[in-house]
Amino acid sequence: MFEQSQDDKIYVNLHQPLQDFRFDAQVAAVFSDMIQRSVPGYLELIQLIGLIAQRYAQADSHVYDLGCSLGAASLSMAQHISHKSCTIIAVDNAPAMIEKCQTTLPQHSPVPLQLHCADILNFPIENASMVVLNFTLQFIKPELRLSLLQRIWQGMRSGAILVLSEKLHFSDNETESWQDVTLTALHHDFKRTKGYSDLEISQKRSAIEKVLLPDTLAIHQQRLFDAGFSEVAQWYQCLNFASILAKKP
């Protein structure tokens, strides 16, 4: 499912000054290694997204992977969709990610697959039976998240499904809750088991904290209802990473 990538050593050495995290060529080169060592349960989640596509992707429809990075979710869905008239549309605004996708992804997909380097805030959503936002919404400005979900809802077929995977925050105020502190500590322990040093963990957290802005589960659920979805349910969680299913009536 994942192509070979370089080992993630971006934060091995001290960065002064430390730049905000970006999905540039350096990250694209190590992304497969980075995501598997950083997000607990990621491989299982990707596999299960394929099974969701197997059940919900409709014939003669579009399936969207918005913020596709290197296309792991797209490929998993492609390998499980039985309708050959279904087209997967994978979108990412990082040129380095799309460039790497173009070298491997289309030829491994048994169903039609399109790749687009574009901003998902403006990208048209049409005739969709399934839409995936896999750790994508957290990088969108909070004030733009509802309008994006509303536009996705408008472009979906009746009975279509949205998969929304996100890193969670567990407090509605600026003070971290006991759950935030505990799951963050366990997440750092997980990273240590994957070979990351304390310096790497600290620098990555500092680099990404201004660009990855997590919400609570309750905020995600209410926002999905506000966007028009009739059924909303959390279906997966591993530490502070979770996924939600939302259905259009």
Side-chain angles (χ1 to χ4, degrees):
M1 184 181 299
F2 289 90
E3 66 172 57
Q4 287 293 111
S5 76
Q6 300 174 25
D7 292 341
D8 175 21
K9 297 182 179 179
I10 292 176
Y11 297 103
V12 166
N13 299 313
L14 183 63
H15 290 242
Q16 290 183 328
L18 184 63
Q19 303 294 323
D20 288 346
F21 184 86
R22 295 185 302 138
F23 291 97
D24 55 15
Q26 184 182 31
V27 168
V30 302
F31 186 76
S32 292
D33 183 64
M34 174 186 287
I35 195 74
Q36 293 176 71
R37 295 168 63 199
S38 299
V39 179
Y42 185 76
L43 288 175
E44 184 178 46
L45 180 60
I46 290 295
Q47 293 166 354
L48 290 169
I49 287 173
L51 296 181
I52 294 170
Q54 180 177 293
R55 180 171 294 273
Y56 283 99
Q58 302 174 24
D60 302 309
S61 74
H62 296 153
V63 170
Y64 290 85
D65 184 4
L66 302 179
C68 65
S69 61
L70 296 186
S74 291
L75 184 56
S76 180
M77 291 189 290
Q79 292 171 339
H80 287 87
I81 291 173
S82 59
H83 305 293
K84 302 306 179 185
S85 60
C86 185
T87 300
I88 296 175
I89 301 175
V91 186
D92 203 286
N93 68 350
M97 291 292 189
I98 293 297
E99 184 178 344
K100 284 186 70 67
C101 281
Q102 288 170 337
T103 63
T104 57
L105 199 57
Q107 58 265 39
H108 288 101
S109 176
V111 299
L113 189 150
Q114 302 174 9
L115 290 167
H116 298 270
C117 186
D119 186 344
I120 64 170
L121 291 172
N122 305 314
F123 194 83
I125 307 298
E126 302 170 338
N127 190 32
S129 61
M130 181 171 172
V131 177
V132 174
L133 288 163
N134 204 39
F135 305 111
T136 299
L137 194 67
Q138 59 199 18
F139 292 102
I140 301 294
K141 292 181 179 179
E143 63 270 22
L144 301 178
R145 294 174 185 180
L146 176 58
S147 60
L148 172 60
L149 292 174
Q150 289 172 328
R151 198 166 57 77
I152 290 171
W153 185 91
Q154 291 170 356
M156 296 173 79
R157 287 184 173 191
S158 177
I161 202 83
L162 170 72
V163 179
L164 175 65
S165 307
E166 291 280 290
K167 185 177 183 180
L168 295 181
H169 185 56
F170 295 93
S171 176
D172 288 323
N173 53 53
E174 294 182 0
T175 303
E176 285 191 313
S177 67
W178 172 85
Q179 196 170 1
D180 278 313
V181 173
T182 301
L183 293 185
T184 297
L186 287 171
H187 182 215
H188 292 173
D189 289 342
F190 168 82
K191 286 186 170 185
R192 291 184 187 97
T193 69
K194 299 299 181 180
Y196 283 124
S197 67
D198 287 344
L199 176 62
E200 289 174 284
I201 293 169
S202 175
Q203 289 195 116
K204 172 73 175 297
R205 186 181 189 188
S206 297
I208 208 167
E209 64 183 0
K210 292 182 181 179
V211 295
L212 191 165
L213 304 175
D215 284 321
T216 65
L217 178 62
I219 289 175
H220 281 301
Q221 292 173 324
Q222 187 59 56
R223 186 188 288 126
L224 288 165
F225 283 124
D226 291 344
F229 292 95
S230 60
E231 303 286 343
V232 175
Q234 180 185 349
W235 66 280
Y236 186 88
Q237 183 173 343
C238 189
L239 298 184
N240 45 355
F241 295 86
S243 192
I244 303 167
L245 286 178
K247 187 178 181 183
K248 182 174 180 176

